[in-house]
Amino acid sequence: MITSPSAYARLVRDVLGRIADEDADGLVPDLLALADMIDDHWGFEGRKVVDAARAADAAFRARLVHRLAGRCIAPESGTAERRSIVRFLATLETAAAAATGPVDGRAALIRLASEQEVHHQPAELVRLAALQLAEGRELPGAFVAVIRRTRLTLWHGSQELGALADRLTDPLVNPGEAWADQALTELDGLGEDWRRLVAHATTAGSARPSAKWERTGRTLLDAVGADDAGERLRRWLRLVGRPRTRPLVATHYGANPDETFDPYNATALRGLAWLLSLAPPHPDSARALGALVETSLKKVAGLGPRNPKVANAGVVALARIHSEAALAELARLVTRVTYKSTARLLDKALDDRAAALGLTREETEELAVPAYGLTGVGRAEHRLGDATALIEVHGTRAVLGWRNAAGRPVRSAPAAVRRDHADEVKELKAAVKDIDRMLTAQSERLDRQFLARRTWSYGTWRERFLDHPLVGTLARRLLWTVDGTTVGYADGALRTLTDDPLGGGREVTLWHPVGHEPAEIVAWRDWLERHGITQPFKQAHREVYLLTDAERATGTYSNRFAAHILRQHQFHALAAVRGWRNRLRLMVDDEAPPAVRELPQWGLRAEYWIHGEGDGHGDDITGSGSYLRLCTDQVRFYPIDAPENSAHCCGGEYRMWLRDGADPVEPLPLPAVPPLVLSEVLRDVDLFVGVASVGNDPAWQDGGPEGRFREYWTSYGFGELSQGAETRRALLERLIPRLAVAGRCTVEGRFLHVRGDLHTYKIHLGSGNILRTPDDRYLCIVPKSDPARPQAGYLPYEGDRTLAVILSKAMMLADDTHITDPTILSQL
């Protein structure tokens, strides 16, 4: 950036003087210094320099181009320097330099071009390639790659570039990605049939394989051996998403090319996924395809999902594999994937599988959960030689343990087992990872069952839930209603509140606290605590949201969660996980509907009204133009088929779009909304605010951009407690007396008071923010994100990160004389 006008003017004069003197060697370092000063914006402050370079003698210009190219590929050149050279060369007419410069200079230009994601001078690529080929020189694979990427990316690509790309058949895939490099290495030692198979994969240009494409694929698979092909394809696909082996030059705008997929290779990946679905079914195929889907949907800054087309191809491939493992992977992914087009494909795949099996969608998802080798609920033993492998589920994680021949626990598999049973050990480790992923997916699925209105016959429920080897580890930690009686599982049996065993029943539903007396809810919390049961999510401690006087007064809408400032992308991701449909608010002249959760079982639609926050400049938007933050407004309920509301992304009144003379539909009066629906929807919204609010961020003490959120941050970070925070407060009142620091902690009002040796501290029970007495000075402690970190003693449910943060802060501050973190010490 320009720091001194006089320094800038002096450097521009020096650069222009060197151009006039045709001093290419002296010009290069001055150009790079100027590039750093103007942040590579050659079209603005550096315009005089660009115009002078373009007007210079052609021979000098060629020398300059070659000097810059050589400097760019020098080992000591850094990323910023390389980016500056690429940006400056993009402003010049450099194609002629390829013909007028020396051969070694041309090689530097080729290498420089190869390090770019896309070359914005297609004519230069064609000229460089023509010169090399005319002299019988082979084009480097990385140079072929940039030709292909440029042809696919630039909509105005020349016909000459397209013709050149069509002639270049080697390498089969673009080098620079880990999986592609591995494939190319292996293909060197394989026959022509394998080359034809991979070449066929690169033709997967449609959303689904055609019948002709599939026939050709089957023929080619038979030629190389379908079993061998499946093993090799799985090995390649497992490498997708690894860091690039040949980094590309990043630009100031758009996504980092090292974090995206090469577009040419993405087409090949689609084809490889489809080919894998034609190979004989194997559990590793489902794992590889499921991982490919998730890797392809990983978010990249400035882009969004890496490559949805590859993700969709993985779903299509999974849907074509008729195996238990593939169905399980589809069922797992449907709870994890939020990207709309991929989620629709997953829904269709499961719907089609359900129709083929003659079952409902819900039954199919329940039956799709495999046992993963577990022989009892959450447990399996496998004898391998003289040793025993033991898989046990603890909470939402599986653990693989070992016992030696004497039956004593050992840290890892004995050497003889690793030698003689390598494949079995590998499969056990893979099963543990599968169990972890599926447990997370099933916990989220069960947490969304409260609004599904599902009932099961007693026998079916026991088979699919309570006694299922994997789902049983979750179901046995929940409360259920059997023929109107609430029961939990303890000491090997279903038991009532008085611990009487329940022998059987007819109909089972998932228990929810709505409709139950507070005394009964508290009694069940005591029961869980007495039996040491940690629920996989809040159930007995689940918040119940009842109508307030203010909501009865407004009648048709709730302002309970209005006027909050949320991080848009965090809200967007969380809403998708909870089953809400939302559109990112962009700083454009456009309208969008509110965040919506459709409840078909109830015939209702819930809406949370939001709009972009800020004036659309600087710190208010991302590089792609989406708002960083949202302002929140009303929660409303409509019949599910009512016309949709919308409002401008930047704010303004929500209006119902009516077509063909349709009449407007009024929102439902809140008292008419079923209490369970009202409570669960408001709980979702409370969760959005509790997680995504900027008031939760300890680094926002200064109020964010221009300090304009200081008042909100203070009011949220230390204000009245939400329903979720009230639940946390009630729990802490029970937990604190059991802690080692109980004598130093008390719960008072909105705070947990902690007495240290240096100060007394107040931890807000909603945000986790801290005030230090005596003057209520803010104490900034940023918690570390470590999900594997052990909890502070017994907790009755999982998933409340703020509770864990409050407890960890309390433990640390109670022993404040032993704090070693310099950032914290400086505030004490």
Side-chain angles (χ1 to χ4, degrees):
M1 293 294 183
I2 296 174
T3 55
S4 167
S6 60
Y8 165 68
R10 184 167 55 252
L11 186 54
V12 169
R13 284 196 302 270
D14 291 344
V15 168
L16 292 175
R18 293 191 184 278
I19 293 175
D21 295 339
E22 297 187 356
D23 179 8
D25 291 329
L27 177 58
V28 169
D30 284 351
L31 271 177
L32 294 176
L34 182 60
D36 182 62
M37 185 174 287
I38 64 175
D39 202 20
D40 296 335
H41 294 298
W42 295 101
F44 299 95
E45 291 89 350
R47 192 70 204 179
K48 292 179 180 179
V49 173
V50 171
D51 290 342
R54 283 179 171 176
D57 177 74
F60 164 73
R61 199 163 62 249
R63 290 199 307 275
L64 175 60
V65 167
H66 287 281
R67 296 288 194 285
L68 287 168
R71 175 69 175 263
C72 185
I73 64 174
E76 66 273 11
S77 64
T79 300
E81 184 172 297
R82 291 162 62 224
R83 182 173 61 239
S84 296
I85 292 172
V86 170
R87 289 289 293 258
F88 181 73
L89 289 180
T91 67
L92 301 180
E93 297 293 334
T94 58
T100 57
V103 172
D104 58 344
R106 187 198 313 155
L109 283 174
I110 287 175
R111 182 170 171 185
L112 174 59
S114 301
E115 293 188 351
Q116 298 176 46
E117 180 183 23
V118 175
H119 200 293
H120 292 276
Q121 294 180 351
E124 180 174 352
L125 294 179
V126 174
R127 180 75 65 89
L128 286 168
L131 289 169
Q132 290 292 98
L133 295 173
E135 296 175 2
R137 298 174 183 272
E138 185 176 335
L139 297 183
F143 186 59
V144 174
V146 75
I147 291 172
R148 290 168 172 168
R149 289 194 297 268
T150 300
R151 190 262 188 96
L152 290 171
T153 304
L154 292 185
W155 63 270
H156 59 281
S158 66
Q159 291 183 344
E160 292 84 359
L161 183 68
L164 172 62
D166 289 338
R167 293 200 306 271
L168 301 175
T169 57
D170 278 317
L172 285 173
V173 292
N174 287 348
E177 294 180 329
W179 78 266
D181 289 353
Q182 181 66 33
L184 291 172
T185 299
E186 294 184 24
L187 286 170
D188 282 342
L190 299 173
E192 191 60 31
D193 287 336
W194 262 101
R195 291 184 60 82
R196 282 194 285 267
L197 181 69
V198 176
H200 184 58
T202 64
T203 65
S206 57
R208 291 176 178 273
S210 66
K212 179 181 178 181
W213 194 97
E214 184 176 335
R215 284 195 302 271
T216 303
R218 290 186 184 278
T219 301
L220 293 170
L221 282 171
D222 290 340
V224 301
D227 287 316
D228 178 53
E231 176 57 34
R232 202 174 296 275
L233 294 179
R234 288 190 290 270
R235 185 162 61 245
W236 295 348
L237 291 181
R238 282 194 288 267
L239 296 175
V240 175
R242 299 271 183 94
R244 278 189 64 89
T245 57
R246 295 176 61 96
L248 299 173
V249 176
T251 61
H252 281 296
Y253 52 87
N256 184 340
D258 290 339
E259 298 178 2
T260 63
F261 286 177
D262 183 301
Y264 186 85
N265 285 355
T267 300
L269 283 173
R270 287 204 294 188
L272 294 179
W274 295 344
L275 288 171
L276 184 56
S277 72
L278 303 179
H282 190 284
D284 281 347
S285 296
R287 292 179 185 129
L289 290 169
L292 179 67
V293 172
E294 292 188 291
T295 300
S296 302
L297 293 178
K298 182 180 178 181
K299 296 290 183 65
V300 174
L303 176 68
R306 270 178 170 169
N307 199 299
K309 291 182 179 180
V310 174
N312 293 350
V315 174
V316 169
L318 278 170
R320 294 161 65 87
I321 300 176
H322 295 287
S323 71
E324 180 186 85
L327 180 58
E329 199 64 23
L330 288 170
R332 184 186 71 82
L333 288 171
V334 83
T335 69
R336 306 293 295 161
V337 170
T338 59
Y339 187 73
K340 291 180 183 177
S341 68
T342 309
R344 283 195 295 267
L345 275 179
L346 285 165
D347 284 336
K348 185 178 186 307
L350 280 175
D351 288 342
D352 290 347
R353 191 65 62 88
L357 295 172
L359 302 171
T360 66
R361 164 70 178 274
E362 292 79 8
E363 289 175 315
T364 303
E365 290 187 33
E366 292 165 4
L367 292 172
V369 185
Y372 295 115
L374 299 174
T375 52
V377 175
R379 195 174 189 278
E381 289 188 9
H382 299 273
R383 189 76 177 176
L384 301 179
D386 292 334
T388 301
L390 179 65
I391 295 179
E392 291 183 308
V393 175
H394 301 290
T396 53
R397 293 190 62 82
V399 177
L400 175 61
W402 294 92
R403 292 176 183 164
N404 60 19
R408 291 192 296 271
V410 291
R411 285 190 171 185
S412 59
V417 172
R418 296 197 301 271
R419 182 187 66 240
D420 300 334
H421 302 276
D423 289 341
E424 291 95 325
V425 172
K426 177 183 174 183
E427 182 58 33
L428 286 173
K429 291 180 178 179
V432 167
K433 292 180 180 179
D434 289 342
I435 291 170
D436 284 348
R437 290 193 293 263
M438 185 58 83
L439 280 171
T440 300
Q442 291 304 309
S443 179
E444 291 175 357
R445 185 174 70 86
L446 284 168
D447 195 14
R448 292 205 295 248
Q449 289 297 305
F450 292 108
L451 290 175
R453 308 188 87 172
R454 286 279 282 149
T455 61
W456 300 269
S457 66
Y458 183 80
T460 297
W461 170 74
R462 286 208 68 126
E463 175 187 356
R464 298 179 187 175
F465 290 88
L466 197 69
D467 297 331
H468 188 280
L470 185 139
V471 182
T473 64
L474 302 171
R476 291 185 176 190
R477 295 189 284 139
L478 295 172
L479 302 179
W480 303 86
T481 301
V482 179
D483 296 338
T485 300
T486 304
V487 295
Y489 188 89
D491 299 326
L494 289 170
R495 300 185 182 277
T496 64
L497 190 57
T498 56
D499 279 339
D500 297 320
L502 183 73
R506 294 184 303 276
E507 185 177 87
V508 182
T509 59
L510 185 61
W511 182 88
H512 191 284
V514 162
H516 295 270
E517 293 296 325
E520 180 189 357
I521 296 171
V522 171
W524 274 111
R525 293 176 180 177
D526 292 339
W527 186 91
L528 291 168
E529 189 176 317
R530 187 168 69 250
H531 289 286
I533 296 172
T534 297
Q535 297 198 292
F537 47 82
K538 284 185 183 180
Q539 187 191 27
H541 292 77
R542 204 172 189 86
E543 299 82 9
V544 175
Y545 295 79
L546 304 175
L547 280 178
T548 64
D549 291 339
E551 287 162 343
R552 291 189 182 90
T554 57
T556 58
Y557 60 89
S558 169
N559 271 330
R560 196 185 306 199
F561 301 104
H564 286 282
I565 308 297
L566 309 185
R567 304 177 193 89
Q568 172 167 218
H569 293 82
Q570 192 173 16
F571 164 78
H572 183 71
L574 187 58
V577 168
R578 295 298 302 169
W580 289 67
R581 173 167 49 86
N582 181 55
R583 272 176 51 187
L584 287 174
R585 267 53 180 175
L586 304 176
M587 207 290 291
V588 293
D589 189 18
D590 194 11
E591 293 197 352
V596 167
R597 182 169 183 182
E598 294 179 340
L599 306 165
Q601 296 89 346
W602 303 85
L604 296 175
R605 181 182 79 225
E607 295 185 354
Y608 190 26
W609 289 8
I610 55 177
H611 64 82
E613 189 286 324
D615 57 10
H617 296 95
D619 295 328
D620 293 331
I621 61 173
T622 66
S624 58
S626 60
Y627 281 99
L628 287 170
R629 291 168 293 275
L630 299 171
C631 289
T632 67
D633 204 337
Q634 304 173 8
V635 174
R636 293 189 176 207
F637 294 85
Y638 288 87
I640 195 168
D641 56 355
E644 200 165 54
N645 290 298
S646 67
H648 199 281
C649 291
C650 305
E653 181 183 359
Y654 271 92
R655 296 168 297 169
M656 185 170 284
W657 283 97
L658 304 174
R659 297 179 179 177
D660 303 325
D663 294 327
V665 177
E666 294 298 321
L668 269 68
L670 293 181
V673 178
L676 176 60
V677 174
L678 178 72
S679 184
E680 283 298 296
V681 167
L682 292 181
R683 183 179 185 273
D684 274 355
V685 177
D686 194 356
L687 178 67
F688 301 155
V689 173
V691 172
S693 172
V694 300
N696 281 327
D697 191 339
W700 273 57
Q701 179 192 8
D702 61 355
E706 301 172 358
R708 64 179 187 268
F709 303 116
R710 186 177 293 111
E711 183 177 346
Y712 170 75
W713 185 87
T714 302
S715 64
Y716 181 89
F718 301 103
E720 295 299 322
L721 300 183
S722 66
Q723 191 73 30
E726 288 286 0
T727 301
R728 192 176 298 129
R729 180 184 190 281
L731 177 59
L732 281 169
E733 288 177 334
R734 299 170 63 91
L735 291 178
I736 292 299
R738 305 173 199 166
L739 299 180
V741 295
R744 291 175 173 263
C745 299
T746 56
V747 177
E748 299 178 22
R750 305 189 298 270
F751 296 91
L752 172 62
H753 292 247
V754 181
R755 179 173 52 82
D757 292 323
L758 302 177
H759 304 281
T760 298
Y761 311 90
K762 299 193 301 184
I763 308 175
H764 190 259
L765 302 179
S767 64
N769 290 335
I770 307 169
L771 295 175
R772 195 196 80 185
T773 59
D775 54 353
D776 279 353
R777 181 179 301 177
Y778 175 65
L779 176 61
C780 180
I781 299 179
V782 180
K784 294 181 179 178
S785 180
D786 185 6
R789 195 173 185 178
Q791 297 183 134
Y794 167 78
L795 294 178
Y797 54 81
E798 298 171 354
D800 189 345
R801 183 173 181 272
T802 302
L803 174 62
V805 166
I806 290 172
L807 287 172
S808 66
K809 287 181 177 180
M811 297 284 193
M812 178 178 63
L813 294 173
D815 192 24
D816 54 5
T817 56
H818 288 85
I819 293 175
T820 57
D821 187 300
T823 304
I824 301 175
L825 286 174
S826 66
Q827 302 176 74
L828 299 181

